[in-house]
């Protein structure tokens, strides 16, 4: 079989390789579905045409092209399956469900209806998938590129589920490693207490950490139960929405474990805290300092040693494991495990299957693992939804009676009857859900909106947005033709609690007297005069900190990167509008750097101590602080993350991986919070618009959320559509 030529349909003309000219219709450069399924060459050329139309990735078309050479005994239906399993991985799925692909082909690959009906377009994927016969699985079983378990083949077939071998292997590794840790609670050990006597020893410390006399004891009950559950076994998951106290809970869990370890072993545990991104790590580092300081108010035994033994810094998972540049490998692995007794990972919803497998592989058998995150947030960008799989049954609890009794002995709290399940799985006994939000109560529009979204209740969500009783959550109609409205909202809008829009933080750079933003800045304490050129660096740091805080008052989010409502277009249009209004000095399109430009770091830079997701602002400062004779230059101010308001000043020429961030994608906003968040919803449906995306955008807001929407239908459809990443992880009844 000759190789397919990927350039044939990239040019949009010409014949397919080999004898394709004899099989293609004279009136079309593309093979019909019947011809493509009968001829591997015709199929491969059609796949490259799909990639040209943007229906699949170039990578998806390249994989079957490669396998056609390595395993030429596969027919066209086998090559089609290879393309589909690659495409599914690109959509975050671990596998391809062959039965679903045949019966619901329209759910696999998004093709705009108007394009699909275009006579000049190639036949859409569903036209081929709908013609596959019942013997598709049998054909794959006979293909040399496929194995039905361990081996070296690039693809793995389990019943009617097809995997790329890497994802099959890592799914197996994660399931086996967690199952091994879940089997530990059956016996009582010093490190993993499970017996009644161990519960009795935990009770005094838990009552110290969560005093029953505290007026908020009822609201903190789920935190106390989560701490007990986390101390019970070497594996635990703590999930909860914004403001439910995940950081508080994990710090008190660490205090509990260290108190026990010091009392019983005479030495604390070796513990590390980690997060999937630099931004998430920095945020957790800031939060834990306050929570550790709060332990001073509690009469813990060996309090000073306990506080000193809790990590004050958080690293990225890549740094924790020792990432090797330009490879998927790490310094720490099964043969060189981490020298630790415990790892706690925050924002675990962002951890993909590959990273979770690498982490579990690097943990010594005795080490504890605690995962924290919001199960309802967006899953990882890469394949897998590990936290979502782990927490699939968290809402209902499913605790067995013996575990319920143990928790009552350890905490003095009784579990609601609705959370009991005599047939609860082993995994259920290690998952705790925090159920009370200290940030969003019943009167909070954001809390009400988030709950409606999670319930898939689009009518309720729209009602909350329109209800004046919930001013923290609001919406503005945004017809596509009304460009002026979007710019007005982004630049000059006003929220309930504070001014918002980009005029606000720009007013902190160059104050404009007698303007609304000047009054709001002064009221918030963020209005500082620009220091003189002779001022010391500390004064410039304080000025920059106030500007960064003013910028964090508001952030515009969008689901998309490209298109009219994509982040690239929005950033360009907002920048142009600000220049026209005289709020920034950007003389022409060739000028990339100007004072006031907000930038987002898009990749970790350990030399500069900047992490993916960090936000900085370009400011005009002295070339040498406290030396007015040296002149001025642009530097980008980033928070130093030292808890002291320090600033990291970086020359723009040293920033190789940054982008303007007047608008930010919802995915990039994970791990961040803003006082006021506005979400721009596109005016047409897209596969990326899901319940989890809308929820993630809403919960980035601390006080106010605004929806800028052109269509109620698009919002409703997004809320009603869940991310359903295909996986077999933790779906076994005995897990």
């Amino acid at each position: 079989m000759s190789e397919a030529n990927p350039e044939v349909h990239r040019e949009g003309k010409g014949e397919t390789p080999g004898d394709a000219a004899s099989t293609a219709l004279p009136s079309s450069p593309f093979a019909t579905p019947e011809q493509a399924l009968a001829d591997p060459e015709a199929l491969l050329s059609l796949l490259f045409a799909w990639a040209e139309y943007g229906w699949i990735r170039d990578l998806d078309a390249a994989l079957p092209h490669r396998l056609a050479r390595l395993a030429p005994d596969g027919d066209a239906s086998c090559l089609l399956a290879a393309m589909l399993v690659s495409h599914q991985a690109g959509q975050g799925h671990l596998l391809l469900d062959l039965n679903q692909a045949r019966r619901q082909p329209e759910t696999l690959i998004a093709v705009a209806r108007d394009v699909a009906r275009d006579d000049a377009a190639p036949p859409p994927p569903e036209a081929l998938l709908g013609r596959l016969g019942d013997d598709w699985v049998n054909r794959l079983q006979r293909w040399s590129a496929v194995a039905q378990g361990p081996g070296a083949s690039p693809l793995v077939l389990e019943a009617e589920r097809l995997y790329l071998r890497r994802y099959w292997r890592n799914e197996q590794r994660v399931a086996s490693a967690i199952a091994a840790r879940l089997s530990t609670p059956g016996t009582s050990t010093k490190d993993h207490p499970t017996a009644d006597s161990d519960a009795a020893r935990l009770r005094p410390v838990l009552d110290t950490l969560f005093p029953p006399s505290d007026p908020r004891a009822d609201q903190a009950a789920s935190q106390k139960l989560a701490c007990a559950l986390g101390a019970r076994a070497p594996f635990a998951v703590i999930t909860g929405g914004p403001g439910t106290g995940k950081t508080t809970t994990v710090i008190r869990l660490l205090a509990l474990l260290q108190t026990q370890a010091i009392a019983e072993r005479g030495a604390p545990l070796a513990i590390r805290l980690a997060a999937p991104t630099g931004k998430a790590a920095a945020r957790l580092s800031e939060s834990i300092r306050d929570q550790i300081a709060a332990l001073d108010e509690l009469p813990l035994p060996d309090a000073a040693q306990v506080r000193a033994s809790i990590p004050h810094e958080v690293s990225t998972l890549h740094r924790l494991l020792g990432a090797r540049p330009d490879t998927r490998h790490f310094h720490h692995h099964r043969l060189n495990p981490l020298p630790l007794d415990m790892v706690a990972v925050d924002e675990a919803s962002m951890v993909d299957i590959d990273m979770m497998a690498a982490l579990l592989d690097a943990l010594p058998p005795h080490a504890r693992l605690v995962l924290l995150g919001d199960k309802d947030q967006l899953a990882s960008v890469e394949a897998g939804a590990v936290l979502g799989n782990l927490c699939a049954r968290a809402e209902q609890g499913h605790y067995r009676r013996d575990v319920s009794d143990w928790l009552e002995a350890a905490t003095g709290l009784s579990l609601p009857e609705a959370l009991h399940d005599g047939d609860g799985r082993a995994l259920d006994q290690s998952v705790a859900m925090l159920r009370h939000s200290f940030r969003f109560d019943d009167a909070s529009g954001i809390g009400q909106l988030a709950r409606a979204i999670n319930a898939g209740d689009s009518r309720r969500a729209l009602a909350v947005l329109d209800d004046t009783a919930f001013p923290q959550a609001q919406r503005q109609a945004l017809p596509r033709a009304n460009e002026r409205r979007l710019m007005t909202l982004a630049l000059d809008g006003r929220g309930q609690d504070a001014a918002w829009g980009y005029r606000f933080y720009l007013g902190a750079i160059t104050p404009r007297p007698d303007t609304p933003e000047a009054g709001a800045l002064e009221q918030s304490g963020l209005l500082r005069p620009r220091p003189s050129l002779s001022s010391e660096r500390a004064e410039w740091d304080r000025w920059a900190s106030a500007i960064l805080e003013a910028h964090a008052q508001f952030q515009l989010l969008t689901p998309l990167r490209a298109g009219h409502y994509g982040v690239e277009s929005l950033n360009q249009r907002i920048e142009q509008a600000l220049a026209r209004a005289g709020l920034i000095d950007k003389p022409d399109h060739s000028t990339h750097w100007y004072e006031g430009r907000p930038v987002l770091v898009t990749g970790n830079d350990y030399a500069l101590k900047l992490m993916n997701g960090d936000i900085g602002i370009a400011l005009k400062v002295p070339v040498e602080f406290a030396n007015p004779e040296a002149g001025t230059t642009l530097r980008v101010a980033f928070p130093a993350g030292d808890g002291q308001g320090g600033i990291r000043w970086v020359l723009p020429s040293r920033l190789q991986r940054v982008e303007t961030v007047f608008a930010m994608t919802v995915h990039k906003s994970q791990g961040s919070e803003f006082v006021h968040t506005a979400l721009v919803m596109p005016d047409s449906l897209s596969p990326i618009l899901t319940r989890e995306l809308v929820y993630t955008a809403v919960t980035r807001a601390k006080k106010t959320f605004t929806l800028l929407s052109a269509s109620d239908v698009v919002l409703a459809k997004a809320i009603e559509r869940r991310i359903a990443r295909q996986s077999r992880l933790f779906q076994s009844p005995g897990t």
Side-chain angles (χ1 to χ4, degrees), residues 214-370:
D214 190 318
R216 300 199 304 175
D218 289 344
Q219 292 94 325
S222 60
Q223 295 181 1
K224 188 175 185 180
L225 288 165
C227 275
L229 209 62
R232 179 179 175 270
F235 176 75
V237 182
I238 300 173
T239 186
T244 52
K246 293 185 290 293
T247 305
T248 300
T249 303
V250 74
I251 293 302
R252 298 199 179 190
L253 170 59
L254 298 185
L256 170 65
L257 294 173
Q258 295 293 40
T259 299
Q260 293 293 103
I262 291 168
E264 296 175 6
R265 306 190 325 176
L269 302 172
I271 297 175
R272 290 288 297 275
L273 299 175
T277 67
K279 181 67 174 179
R283 262 196 64 208
L284 182 58
S285 293
E286 294 173 6
S287 299
I288 63 175
R289 294 188 189 105
D290 294 336
Q291 295 302 327
I292 293 173
L295 295 176
D296 290 340
E297 303 173 8
L298 304 174
L300 286 169
D302 303 306
Q305 188 177 4
V306 168
R307 287 195 298 274
S309 66
I310 297 175
H312 286 60
E313 297 296 330
V314 184
S315 71
T316 63
L317 284 169
H318 282 85
R319 176 166 278 187
L320 174 70
L321 297 178
R324 294 181 174 176
D326 303 319
T327 75
R328 295 183 183 277
H329 302 296
F330 297 93
H331 178 71
H332 290 288
H333 46 75
R334 182 175 58 84
L335 300 179
N336 182 32
L338 291 161
L340 297 174
D341 298 309
M342 177 178 175
V343 173
V345 181
D346 193 28
E347 296 285 0
S349 63
M350 300 166 67
V351 181
D352 60 76
I353 192 72
D354 290 347
M355 179 57 76
M356 188 62 71
L359 174 62
L360 287 162
D361 197 40
L363 283 180
H366 76 278
R368 294 176 179 271
L369 175 62
V370 176

Side-chain angles (χ1 to χ4, degrees), residues 86-419:
S86 174
H87 174 77
Q88 288 292 87
Q91 300 299 308
H93 302 287
L94 295 184
L95 59 89
L96 168 68
D97 186 322
L98 298 169
N99 184 53
Q100 179 188 345
R102 285 196 306 115
R103 301 187 185 284
Q104 298 176 301
E106 71 282 355
T107 64
L108 265 68
I109 299 176
V111 177
R113 296 297 97 187
D114 56 338
V115 175
R117 290 191 293 267
D118 185 352
D119 292 338
E126 60 191 69
L128 275 71
L129 292 169
R131 288 172 169 80
L132 289 170
D134 293 334
D135 62 342
W136 195 19
V137 173
N138 293 332
R139 294 186 184 193
L140 284 166
Q141 288 174 338
R142 295 192 297 267
W143 190 21
S144 60
V146 174
Q148 297 183 56
S153 64
L155 303 175
V156 177
L157 184 65
E158 282 191 348
E160 292 195 351
R161 295 178 292 274
L162 186 66
Y163 290 83
L164 295 171
R165 177 163 293 281
R166 180 176 121 215
Y167 293 133
W168 178 84
R169 181 177 63 247
N170 285 339
E171 186 180 76
Q172 297 289 316
R173 288 166 62 194
V174 169
S176 297
I178 291 179
R181 282 176 162 76
L182 291 175
S183 66
T184 302
T187 58
S188 175
T189 68
K190 181 168 63 176
D191 290 330
H192 309 308
T194 61
D196 290 343
S197 59
D198 296 311
R201 286 200 295 272
L202 291 177
R203 176 70 179 274
V205 185
L206 280 167
D207 281 348
T208 301
L209 292 167
F210 298 93
S213 59
D214 190 318
R216 300 199 304 175
D218 289 344
Q219 292 94 325
S222 60
Q223 295 181 1
K224 188 175 185 180
L225 288 165
C227 275
L229 209 62
R232 179 179 175 270
F235 176 75
V237 182
I238 300 173
T239 186
T244 52
K246 293 185 290 293
T247 305
T248 300
T249 303
V250 74
I251 293 302
R252 298 199 179 190
L253 170 59
L254 298 185
L256 170 65
L257 294 173
Q258 295 293 40
T259 299
Q260 293 293 103
I262 291 168
E264 296 175 6
R265 306 190 325 176
L269 302 172
I271 297 175
R272 290 288 297 275
L273 299 175
T277 67
K279 181 67 174 179
R283 262 196 64 208
L284 182 58
S285 293
E286 294 173 6
S287 299
I288 63 175
R289 294 188 189 105
D290 294 336
Q291 295 302 327
I292 293 173
L295 295 176
D296 290 340
E297 303 173 8
L298 304 174
L300 286 169
D302 303 306
Q305 188 177 4
V306 168
R307 287 195 298 274
S309 66
I310 297 175
H312 286 60
E313 297 296 330
V314 184
S315 71
T316 63
L317 284 169
H318 282 85
R319 176 166 278 187
L320 174 70
L321 297 178
R324 294 181 174 176
D326 303 319
T327 75
R328 295 183 183 277
H329 302 296
F330 297 93
H331 178 71
H332 290 288
H333 46 75
R334 182 175 58 84
L335 300 179
N336 182 32
L338 291 161
L340 297 174
D341 298 309
M342 177 178 175
V343 173
V345 181
D346 193 28
E347 296 285 0
S349 63
M350 300 166 67
V351 181
D352 60 76
I353 192 72
D354 290 347
M355 179 57 76
M356 188 62 71
L359 174 62
L360 287 162
D361 197 40
L363 283 180
H366 76 278
R368 294 176 179 271
L369 175 62
V370 176
L371 303 178
L372 300 107
D374 187 342
K375 66 181 179 62
D376 298 311
Q377 274 191 202
L378 281 168
S380 58
V381 174
E382 303 298 330
V386 180
L387 187 74
N389 293 145
L390 286 165
C391 299
R393 290 156 54 96
E395 196 82 40
Q396 295 78 31
H398 296 285
Y399 298 115
R400 296 193 302 263
R401 183 62 63 178
D402 61 311
V403 175
S404 175
D405 291 344
W406 187 92
L407 287 171
E408 184 169 358
T411 64
L413 301 171
S414 298
L415 284 177
E417 195 62 34
L419 300 182

Side-chain angles (χ1 to χ4, degrees), residues 477-668:
L478 186 64
R480 180 166 181 164
N482 198 336
E483 179 74 2
R484 183 177 178 182
R485 173 171 289 185
L486 171 63
M487 292 300 107
T488 299
L489 290 167
L491 274 56
D492 300 309
R494 297 287 180 268
Q496 282 299 120
D497 303 313
W500 64 279
Y502 297 117
R503 188 184 291 271
F504 185 66
Y505 90 90
L506 291 169
I509 299 174
T510 306
R512 295 167 176 81
D514 303 322
T515 60
E517 62 269 18
L521 282 163
E522 187 170 11
Q523 187 176 3
S524 63
L526 298 177
L527 188 63
R528 287 179 174 272
R530 184 189 293 265
S532 67
L533 293 182
S534 59
S535 297
E536 298 290 336
R537 172 171 173 169
E539 184 61 27
W540 286 98
D541 281 4
R542 285 190 286 270
W543 177 69
S545 293
I547 293 168
L548 286 165
E549 187 175 346
H551 179 269
Q553 300 296 300
F554 172 73
Q555 182 63 54
L556 188 67
L557 302 180
T558 174
L560 308 173
R561 286 207 63 84
H564 186 72
Y565 291 130
V567 68
E568 296 168 358
S569 175
L570 285 171
N571 274 319
Q572 184 180 48
R573 283 148 52 208
I574 291 172
E575 194 174 63
Q576 291 170 351
L578 289 169
R580 287 195 301 269
L583 296 172
I584 61 173
D585 184 14
K586 188 178 188 298
D588 54 55
H589 293 296
S590 64
T591 304
H592 294 296
W593 288 101
Y594 51 86
E595 185 169 50
R597 182 191 179 193
V599 293
L600 176 76
V601 177
T602 59
N604 294 343
D605 189 328
Y606 294 109
L608 295 177
K609 297 183 179 179
L610 296 176
M611 298 297 154
N612 187 5
D614 284 348
I615 292 177
I617 297 176
L619 298 171
K620 190 176 292 186
V621 297
V623 172
E624 297 178 17
F625 292 110
N627 180 7
E629 304 301 324
T632 61
T633 188
L634 275 182
R635 292 183 187 268
V636 184
F638 292 93
D642 56 5
Q644 307 298 318
I647 293 295
R648 185 169 289 112
W649 296 97
V650 183
L651 286 170
S653 60
R654 299 192 66 191
L655 296 170
Q656 303 302 313
R657 301 173 69 182
V658 295
E659 59 187 32
T660 303
V661 70
F662 290 114
M664 179 191 296
T665 63
V666 178
H667 275 89
K668 284 288 188 181

Side-chain angles (χ1 to χ4, degrees), residues 46-66:
L46 188 58
L47 296 185
F48 282 112
W50 289 353
E52 182 67 26
Y53 270 76
W55 299 345
I56 62 175
R57 302 174 299 172
D58 289 343
L59 177 64
D60 303 332
L63 176 65
H65 179 260
R66 175 74 170 166

